[in-house]
Amino acid sequence: MQTDAKDSRGWRRLFGVLGPSTNTSVQPDYDDMRPAGVTNHYSRIVVPDAQAISDETFLAGTQQIADNTIEAVKSVMTCKPHYLVMGMSAITFYGGAEGAAKFRHQIHEVAGVDLSTGSESLAAAIAAYGGVKRVAFVSPYYPVANAQVRNFLSDYGYETVRDIPLRCPSWTSIAKVDTPTLRQALHQLDGDDVDAILQVGTNLSMVRLAAAAEMWLGKPVIAINTATYWHALRANGIQDKVYGFGRLLEEF
């Protein structure tokens, strides 16, 4: 058997995807955006379905995700992926740009391959559109985590004009936020003082709604799952245009 033969399905790239075990949105979202020859191999970060009833309990729950990430990395590396794609976002914003870089370096040290994180991918996506200075965003988080997102964005030179923390009461409840709720949030966030609208929180699937909203709002609307998968593709030299998920994957 040829040792240099390519994977029969992932003949372009094998992506190892890291997501909390409670997350039911990342895997189907990433698979929907997957071009031919790229395969996604999901590794679950084992966490209980944390009940978030305050800033303190939300932070504690996300810290548990961070603590358990390394074991999930070690697990997925057994299939020898070329690259890692993070499927959780909250902890990648903590500590601003410096904290995001530190988190990425920690994962790289264990995996030995490069990776795309939610926070840094989002920053790269905003820059790809160009001309964005003021943003607004929605999250499933509690206010304490939204503050971390604002801090991260400010490190990249983006001013947050408005933000909405949906305060979802558990990790699994995030995936149950419906389209009317998100559509209302988009209307609340929009305004002439906002250049782009963002969505963070990977279990809050907004990849298709964001694409539709770009057409009727006439400005960038960036879902974090779209941004992270786009970043992973482009970082690996895969320039395929993937349609139905907004301008990011179609134009940049």
Side-chain angles (χ1 to χ4, degrees):
M1 179 177 177
Q2 292 177 281
T3 57
D4 60 347
K6 293 184 178 180
D7 188 277
S8 60
R9 295 295 304 275
W11 45 270
R12 297 168 81 183
R13 276 294 183 266
L14 304 178
F15 283 167
V17 179
L18 288 303
S21 56
T22 53
N23 189 312
T24 55
S25 295
V26 164
Q27 188 169 5
D29 276 359
Y30 285 0
D31 282 347
D32 285 349
M33 293 183 276
R34 179 181 65 84
V38 177
T39 51
N40 304 321
H41 306 282
Y42 200 80
S43 184
R44 308 186 82 83
I45 303 166
V46 178
V47 290
D49 187 20
Q51 305 300 302
I53 58 173
S54 67
D55 281 342
E56 292 74 22
T57 56
F58 185 89
L59 279 181
T62 56
Q63 184 57 51
Q64 189 167 20
I65 295 173
D67 292 343
N68 295 345
T69 297
I70 297 302
E71 288 305 311
V73 171
K74 291 178 180 178
S75 174
V76 80
M77 289 310 300
T78 62
C79 76
K80 294 182 170 57
H82 301 102
Y83 196 82
L84 296 183
V85 190
M86 304 309 295
M88 83 294 206
S89 63
I91 59 177
T92 71
F93 289 101
Y94 293 0
E98 183 178 348
K102 181 180 179 181
F103 176 83
R104 175 169 44 81
H105 288 312
Q106 288 173 337
I107 301 302
H108 182 272
E109 283 290 312
V110 174
V113 298
D114 290 331
L115 63 146
S116 292
T117 65
S119 58
E120 293 177 325
S121 297
L122 186 63
I126 298 169
Y129 278 90
V132 175
K133 295 182 179 179
R134 298 167 299 177
V135 301
F137 70 88
V138 61
S139 84
Y141 307 154
Y142 274 68
V144 66
N146 271 29
Q148 294 284 347
V149 177
R150 291 195 303 270
N151 179 54
F152 173 87
L153 292 169
S154 70
D155 283 351
Y156 278 83
Y158 302 117
E159 175 191 355
T160 299
V161 177
R162 284 179 289 281
D163 64 275
I164 297 174
L166 293 176
R167 296 178 172 87
C168 291
S170 69
W171 295 157
T172 54
S173 69
I174 295 172
K176 299 173 184 177
V177 176
D178 59 16
T179 296
T181 298
L182 292 173
R183 188 169 55 239
Q184 181 181 15
L186 289 173
H187 284 300
Q188 291 174 348
L189 293 170
D190 190 32
D192 292 338
D193 54 347
V194 170
D195 302 317
I197 297 175
L198 319 172
Q199 172 262 317
V200 300
T202 61
N203 206 20
L204 187 68
S205 180
M206 214 176 90
V207 294
R208 287 182 174 81
L209 178 60
E214 284 193 324
M215 292 188 285
W216 44 265
L217 292 179
K219 63 184 61 174
V221 181
I222 307 173
I224 196 160
N225 288 350
T226 304
T228 308
Y229 204 75
W230 163 83
H231 186 272
L233 291 174
R234 302 302 183 252
N236 283 271
I238 298 170
Q239 300 297 324
D240 298 45
K241 307 302 182 185
V242 182
Y243 294 91
F245 301 95
R247 290 180 56 203
L248 190 63
L249 277 167
E250 294 177 11
E251 298 180 20
F252 305 111

